[in-house]
C-alpha cells in the first residue's frame, strides 16, 4: 500500500542543535544497489559542507523483500565502523528474531520477503512440503556471519536529537515518547498516520510506503518503497532545514 496523503510543512519548525547535520534513510529492504549511491551522496555532501557533527540515522527494515540483504548488512556494518551512525530496529528485523525463536512463524516470514533474504545468503528458496522450517533456519544462522547476527541484536528502538525523534514506524498518540511500547514503535500505522497531535518532538519515520517524502505538521515519512519503486529516499536535516532527495 502506498499512501497518497498530501504534504504539509510544520508551522513551528523543529531544529537540530547548532553544527549538527543528520542524514536519514529508512526501509532499504535489501536494496544494496540503491543504498550505495546514497552513501556516496552523503560522503560528497559532508566533504563539501563540512558540518561540525554529521550523524547518519538508518531507520530499520534493512532485510527482506529486496534482492541483497547480505550485502546491505555488510555495507551498514562497514558504515558503523566510522562511529557516527545510528541503527534503528524495524519490524522486519524484529520479526526475523521471533522466527529464529519460534519456527512456526517461518511461513509468515516468507510471505513478507523472507525468501529473498534466504537466497541472499546462498540458500535455495524453500519447498515447504519437503523442508523443515527449523532446519532451514539453522542453515540460515550458520550462513549468516556472526557480525550480522550481532548487528540485528544491537539495533536501537529510537533516536532523539534536538527537536527530532527518529523511529521506524511511528508513535502512539497520547503516550509520552519515553513510554512508547516496542510494538508501536515498530508496527503502528493508522492511529499515528491519522493523528494531528503534537508528539513532543517532530517524528521522522518510515514503515508505510509513500510515493515521495511526505511532510506533515507533526511528522515526515521517508519510506518510498525502495524494493518496489527503485526509489530510496535520503533526508538531510540541518538547523530547521529538511531536504529529501
Amino acid at each position: 500500500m502506498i499512501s497518497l496523503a498530501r504534504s504539509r510543512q510544520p508551522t513551528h519548525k523543529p531544529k537540530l542543535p547548532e553544527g549538527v547535520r543528520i542524514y536519514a534513510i529508512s526501509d532499504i529492504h535489501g536494496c544494496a544497489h540503491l543504498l550505495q549511491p546514497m552513501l556516496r551522496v552523503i560522503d560528497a555532501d559532508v566533504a563539501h559542507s563540512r558540518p561540525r557533527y554529521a550523524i547518519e540515522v538508518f531507520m530499520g527494515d534493512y532485510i527482506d523483500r529486496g534482492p541483497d540483504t547480505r550485502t546491505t548488512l555488510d555495507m551498514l556494518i562497514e558504515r558503523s565502523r566510522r562511529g557516527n551512525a545510528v541503527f534503528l530496529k524495524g519490524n522486519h528485523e524484529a520479526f526475523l528474531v521471533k522466527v529464529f525463536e519460534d519456527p512456526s512463524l517461518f511461513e509468515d516470514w516468507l510471505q513478507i520477503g523472507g525468501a529473498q533474504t534466504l537466497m541472499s545468503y546462498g540458500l535455495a528458496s524453500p519447498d515447504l512440503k519437503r523442508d523443515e522450517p527449523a532446519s532451514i533456519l539453522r542453515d540460515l544462522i550458520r550462513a549468516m556471519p556472526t557480525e550480522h547476527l550481532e548487528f540485528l541484536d544491537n539495533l536501537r528502538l529510537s533516536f532523539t536529537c534536538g527537536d527530532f525523534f527518529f523511529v521506524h514506524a511511528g508513535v502512539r498518540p497520547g503516550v509520552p515518547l519515553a513510554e512508547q511500547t516496542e510494538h508501536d514503535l515498530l508496527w503502528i500505522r493508522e492511529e499515528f498516520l491519522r493523528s494531528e497531535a503534537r508528539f513532543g518532538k517532530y517524528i521522522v519515520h518510515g514503515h508505510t510506503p509513500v510515493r515521495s517524502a511526505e511532510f506533515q505538521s507533526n511528522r515526515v515519512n521517508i519510506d518510498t518503497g525502495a524494493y518496489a519503486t527503485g526509489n530510496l529516499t535520503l533526508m538531510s536535516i540541518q538547523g530547521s532545514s529538511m531536504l529529501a532527495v
Side-chain angles (χ1 to χ4, degrees):
M1 178 186 72
I2 293 182
S3 169
L4 298 176
R6 295 179 179 177
S7 291
R8 289 181 293 135
Q9 293 281 352
T11 53
H12 302 287
K13 290 190 174 181
K15 291 184 67 174
L16 286 176
E18 185 70 25
V20 174
R21 177 169 292 194
I22 288 182
Y23 302 92
I25 296 176
S26 191
D27 296 84
I28 301 164
H29 278 303
C31 293
H33 63 293
L34 301 179
L35 176 61
Q36 184 64 60
M38 286 305 180
L39 297 180
R40 292 196 193 105
V41 169
I42 294 173
D43 291 341
D45 191 63
V46 168
H48 174 74
S49 60
R50 297 189 179 278
R52 193 179 311 157
Y53 304 105
I55 304 171
E56 300 170 17
V57 183
F58 299 92
M59 293 160 45
D61 279 9
Y62 314 112
I63 68 173
D64 299 342
R65 299 196 189 279
D68 206 344
T69 285
R70 179 171 188 148
T71 300
T72 298
L73 294 186
D74 281 339
M75 291 167 62
L76 295 174
I77 290 165
E78 179 62 30
R79 207 73 182 177
S80 73
R81 298 189 176 114
R82 300 182 176 206
N84 68 328
V86 175
F87 300 94
L88 304 185
K89 185 188 294 186
N91 59 297
H92 279 256
E93 288 78 41
F95 196 73
L96 178 55
V97 171
K98 281 188 177 181
V99 174
F100 284 148
E101 297 169 351
D102 181 1
S104 72
L105 298 172
F106 181 75
E107 193 165 353
D108 293 333
W109 179 54
L110 295 181
Q111 296 299 315
I112 60 169
Q116 289 89 332
T117 293
L118 288 171
M119 288 187 284
S120 81
Y121 286 97
L123 302 178
S125 185
D127 178 355
L128 294 179
K129 294 180 180 178
R130 178 177 58 85
D131 300 323
E132 285 292 328
S135 176
I136 299 169
L137 290 168
R138 285 194 296 271
D139 289 343
L140 176 59
I141 291 172
R142 282 193 291 266
M144 293 180 75
T146 300
E147 60 186 2
H148 286 204
L149 296 169
E150 291 174 347
F151 178 85
L152 295 176
D153 280 340
N154 292 320
L155 299 173
R156 298 173 53 164
L157 289 176
S158 65
F159 174 68
T160 301
C161 188
D163 296 328
F164 294 87
F165 184 87
F166 298 83
V167 66
H168 177 64
V171 299
R172 183 162 295 280
V175 177
L177 294 179
E179 299 175 18
Q180 296 284 329
T181 67
E182 177 170 338
H183 187 270
D184 283 335
L185 295 173
L186 302 187
W187 293 90
I188 198 167
R189 289 195 197 272
E190 291 306 318
E191 303 95 322
F192 167 64
L193 298 174
R194 289 197 304 261
S195 177
E196 297 183 359
R198 302 293 175 184
F199 302 117
K201 299 280 186 182
Y202 190 75
I203 310 299
V204 183
H205 69 97
H207 185 55
T208 300
V210 288
R211 292 194 182 279
S212 59
E214 179 187 282
F215 292 87
Q216 300 293 333
S217 60
N218 55 0
R219 63 178 180 86
V220 58
N221 182 357
I222 62 170
D223 174 11
T224 46
Y227 73 94
T229 66
N231 179 24
L232 180 65
T233 290
L234 167 65
M235 183 168 201
S236 171
I237 310 172
Q238 186 161 14
S240 59
S241 173
M242 294 183 279
L243 175 66
V245 294

